[in-house]
Amino acid sequence: MQFAEVIGTVVATRKEESLSGIKLLVLKAVDVDRRPLGTYVVAADAVGAGRGELVLYATGSSSRLTDVTQDRPVDAVVMAIIDSVEVDGEFLYEK
Amino acid sequence: MQFAEVIGTVVATRKEESLSGIKLLVLKAVDVDRRPLGTYVVAADAVGAGRGELVLYATGSSSRLTDVTQDRPVDAVVMAIIDSVEVDGEFLYEK
Amino acid sequence: MQFAEVIGTVVATRKEESLSGIKLLVLKAVDVDRRPLGTYVVAADAVGAGRGELVLYATGSSSRLTDVTQDRPVDAVVMAIIDSVEVDGEFLYEK
Amino acid sequence: MQFAEVIGTVVATRKEESLSGIKLLVLKAVDVDRRPLGTYVVAADAVGAGRGELVLYATGSSSRLTDVTQDRPVDAVVMAIIDSVEVDGEFLYEK
Amino acid sequence: MQFAEVIGTVVATRKEESLSGIKLLVLKAVDVDRRPLGTYVVAADAVGAGRGELVLYATGSSSRLTDVTQDRPVDAVVMAIIDSVEVDGEFLYEK
C-alpha cells in the first residue's frame, strides 16, 4: 500500500454501469514523511475518507476486495484512514 | 485509475479472436491538471469515449471487469468519461 | 496495452513444461510515433507476429487470456498486429 | 520479491473491516547490498517481522496468499525474514 | 518476461509456511544485450537455474503458474533458462 492525501473528487456520469454509487477520490501520493511524490491516482473510496485526510490505498486486483468495489473495474481503492505513522520510535504523523 | 485524453484509435485485423468488436483507443496520459505525462496507453473502450474527451482508465485484471472486456486479453480499459474534477474546492475541469 | 516492434526471438530448452511450443518474442517497446522507449520485453506470441511488425502487447494476468497462453507462466503476450494508428485525424502508421 | 527493512508501523482504526487484526508495517525498500532505494511501502505482516529486520515482500495478488492476508484488500505482504543473502560466493548479509 | 542473470540466493527460515522448499534466487536484471539495468529481484526458482545463467523471469500472478510456486505468495519466478537470444538476424547470446 502507499500513502496518499485525499485532495478532491471526480464526477463521471457516463461510466461502466457497475461503478454507480462508487465515490471516486483524487489522491496525491505522498511519502512516509508526507512529502508529495508528484504523482496522482484516482481511487474508489471504501472507507468514507474526506478531503485532507492521510490514507492508505491499495492497487491491482486487491482493489476489488472491499465491500463497495467487489467485481468492479477499479484498480485503486482507499482501504484505510491513517491515525498514526510511527517510524524508528517517533510519530511522523498523528491525526 | 489514471487520467487520460483520447487522442486516436488503433486498427488491427490480425489479433486474438476474442478481441473482435472491441474498440482500441490511443490514450495520452495526463495529470490532474491535464498536463501531459509523456506516456501513451492503448485501452479497450467500455463507454463509447470520443476523441478529445478526458477519461479514466483502469489497468491490470480490473480491465476485464466491464461488459465488453470480460475474459479478453486486455490490460487497460476506459471505464468512465469525466464530467468534472474538483480539487481543494476548485473545479480543475468541467466538461 | 503498449506499442512494440518485434525484433527477435528467445530459445530456451530448460523451462517450465507448460511453456513447450510457445514462441517467445523479443519486443522493443515504442511510443505512439514509433520512437524507441529504451526498454525491451519478452512476450509470448499469440498471433504469429514476424520480425519488424508493429504489435500490441498486454501484460499481467491478461497475458494468459489467449488460446496459446492459457494457464501458462507468462506475463506478456502479443495479442494484435497493428494495421494502422490514427491520432488527431492523421495516420501515424499504416502497414 | 524485493528487499526491504522494517522501519515502523501504521495504525488505522477506520479501515475496511476485513483488515482488522492485520499489522501494517512501514518498509524502506533497499537494494541487494542494503542501500536505500528511496521508496517506501506499507505491507501486511505475515511473519512477525520486527523493526530493523531485513525482509522480503511480495506485491500484487500474491500478497493475499498468506494465512493472515487471504481475501484481504492488501497489495504488499512481508512473507519472509531474511537470514542471509549470498551473491557471487560472498555473504552480503548475515543476520 | 524480463532478462536476468542469476547472481545469488536468499536464505530465510522464518517465512510463510507454504514457501518451504522453494529456492529463492537473487536476480540481476539485464537488457537484451546483457547490460545491467541496475535493478535486482528475488524470484522463486522453477527450473533449477544456477549462478551465472541468463534466465527469463515472469512477475505478478503468473509467478504462481509453475509446479513449484502454485498458490504460494511469490511475485516473481524464473521459468526459463535461455539458450540463445537472436535479434535482427544476429545471436546476441548463445549458451
Side-chain angles (χ1 to χ4, degrees):
Chain A
M1 282 71 69
Q2 299 288 334
F3 297 104
E5 231 175 272
V6 180
I7 61 165
T9 52
V10 172
V11 174
T13 44
R14 281 171 63 199
K15 61 188 163 194
E16 177 70 13
E17 219 182 298
S18 66
L19 292 172
S20 289
I22 291 187
K23 195 171 181 184
L24 297 172
L25 301 173
V26 182
L27 306 182
K28 180 172 68 173
V30 296
D31 218 329
V32 66
D33 54 7
R34 223 170 163 168
R35 189 169 32 94
L37 292 172
T39 55
Y40 298 84
V41 177
V42 176
D45 181 16
V47 292
R51 194 182 310 151
E53 288 192 297
L54 186 65
V55 298
L56 285 179
Y57 70 97
T59 58
S61 56
S62 297
S63 313
R64 302 193 304 265
L65 291 190
T66 73
D67 284 348
V68 303
T69 55
Q70 209 176 348
D71 299 326
R72 262 73 170 196
V74 298
D75 63 7
V77 71
V78 173
M79 24 60 83
I81 300 172
I82 295 178
D83 290 322
S84 63
V85 178
E86 180 269 302
V87 167
D88 292 334
E90 258 185 275
F91 283 98
L92 295 192
Y93 173 78
E94 280 184 286
K95 207 179 173 171
Chain B
M1 283 72 68
Q2 298 289 334
F3 297 104
E5 231 176 272
V6 180
I7 61 165
T9 52
V10 172
V11 175
T13 44
R14 281 170 63 197
K15 61 187 164 194
E16 177 69 12
E17 217 181 299
S18 66
L19 292 172
S20 289
I22 291 186
K23 195 172 180 183
L24 297 172
L25 300 174
V26 182
L27 305 182
K28 180 172 68 173
V30 297
D31 218 329
V32 67
D33 54 7
R34 223 171 163 166
R35 190 169 30 93
L37 292 172
T39 54
Y40 298 85
V41 176
V42 176
D45 181 15
V47 291
R51 194 182 310 153
E53 287 191 297
L54 186 65
V55 299
L56 285 179
Y57 69 97
T59 58
S61 56
S62 298
S63 313
R64 303 193 303 264
L65 291 191
T66 73
D67 284 348
V68 303
T69 56
Q70 211 177 346
D71 298 326
R72 262 74 170 194
V74 299
D75 62 8
V77 70
V78 173
M79 23 61 82
I81 299 173
I82 295 178
D83 290 321
S84 63
V85 178
E86 180 269 302
V87 167
D88 291 334
E90 256 185 276
F91 283 98
L92 294 193
Y93 173 78
E94 280 184 286
K95 206 180 176 170
Chain C
M1 282 72 69
Q2 298 288 334
F3 297 104
E5 232 176 271
V6 180
I7 61 165
T9 53
V10 172
V11 174
T13 44
R14 280 171 63 198
K15 61 188 163 193
E16 176 70 12
E17 217 181 299
S18 65
L19 292 172
S20 288
I22 291 186
K23 195 172 179 184
L24 298 172
L25 300 174
V26 183
L27 304 182
K28 180 172 68 173
V30 296
D31 218 329
V32 67
D33 54 7
R34 223 170 163 170
R35 190 171 30 96
L37 292 172
T39 55
Y40 298 85
V41 177
V42 176
D45 181 15
V47 290
R51 193 182 311 152
E53 287 192 297
L54 186 66
V55 298
L56 285 179
Y57 69 97
T59 57
S61 56
S62 298
S63 313
R64 302 193 304 264
L65 291 190
T66 73
D67 284 347
V68 303
T69 55
Q70 210 176 347
D71 298 327
R72 262 74 170 194
V74 299
D75 62 8
V77 70
V78 173
M79 24 60 84
I81 299 173
I82 296 178
D83 290 321
S84 64
V85 179
E86 181 268 301
V87 168
D88 291 334
E90 256 186 277
F91 283 99
L92 294 193
Y93 172 77
E94 280 184 286
K95 206 180 174 168
Chain D
M1 282 71 69
Q2 298 288 334
F3 297 104
E5 231 176 271
V6 180
I7 61 165
T9 53
V10 172
V11 174
T13 44
R14 281 171 65 199
K15 61 188 164 193
E16 177 68 14
E17 218 183 297
S18 65
L19 292 172
S20 288
I22 291 187
K23 193 170 180 185
L24 297 173
L25 301 174
V26 182
L27 305 182
K28 180 171 69 172
V30 296
D31 218 330
V32 67
D33 54 6
R34 223 171 163 168
R35 190 170 31 95
L37 292 172
T39 55
Y40 298 85
V41 177
V42 176
D45 181 15
V47 291
R51 194 182 310 151
E53 288 191 297
L54 186 65
V55 299
L56 284 180
Y57 70 98
T59 58
S61 56
S62 297
S63 312
R64 302 194 304 266
L65 292 191
T66 72
D67 283 348
V68 303
T69 55
Q70 210 175 348
D71 298 326
R72 263 73 170 196
V74 299
D75 63 6
V77 71
V78 173
M79 23 59 83
I81 299 172
I82 295 179
D83 291 321
S84 63
V85 179
E86 180 269 302
V87 167
D88 291 335
E90 257 185 277
F91 283 98
L92 294 192
Y93 173 77
E94 280 184 285
K95 207 179 174 169
Chain E
M1 283 72 69
Q2 299 288 334
F3 297 104
E5 232 176 271
V6 180
I7 61 165
T9 52
V10 172
V11 174
T13 43
R14 281 171 63 198
K15 60 188 163 192
E16 176 70 11
E17 217 182 298
S18 65
L19 291 172
S20 288
I22 290 187
K23 193 170 181 185
L24 297 172
L25 300 174
V26 182
L27 305 183
K28 180 171 69 173
V30 297
D31 218 329
V32 67
D33 54 7
R34 224 170 163 169
R35 189 170 32 94
L37 292 172
T39 55
Y40 298 85
V41 177
V42 176
D45 182 15
V47 291
R51 192 181 312 151
E53 287 191 298
L54 186 66
V55 298
L56 286 179
Y57 69 97
T59 58
S61 56
S62 297
S63 313
R64 303 194 304 265
L65 292 190
T66 73
D67 284 348
V68 303
T69 55
Q70 210 176 347
D71 298 326
R72 262 73 172 196
V74 299
D75 63 7
V77 71
V78 173
M79 22 61 82
I81 300 172
I82 295 178
D83 290 321
S84 63
V85 178
E86 181 268 302
V87 168
D88 291 334
E90 257 185 277
F91 283 98
L92 294 192
Y93 173 77
E94 280 184 285
K95 205 179 175 169

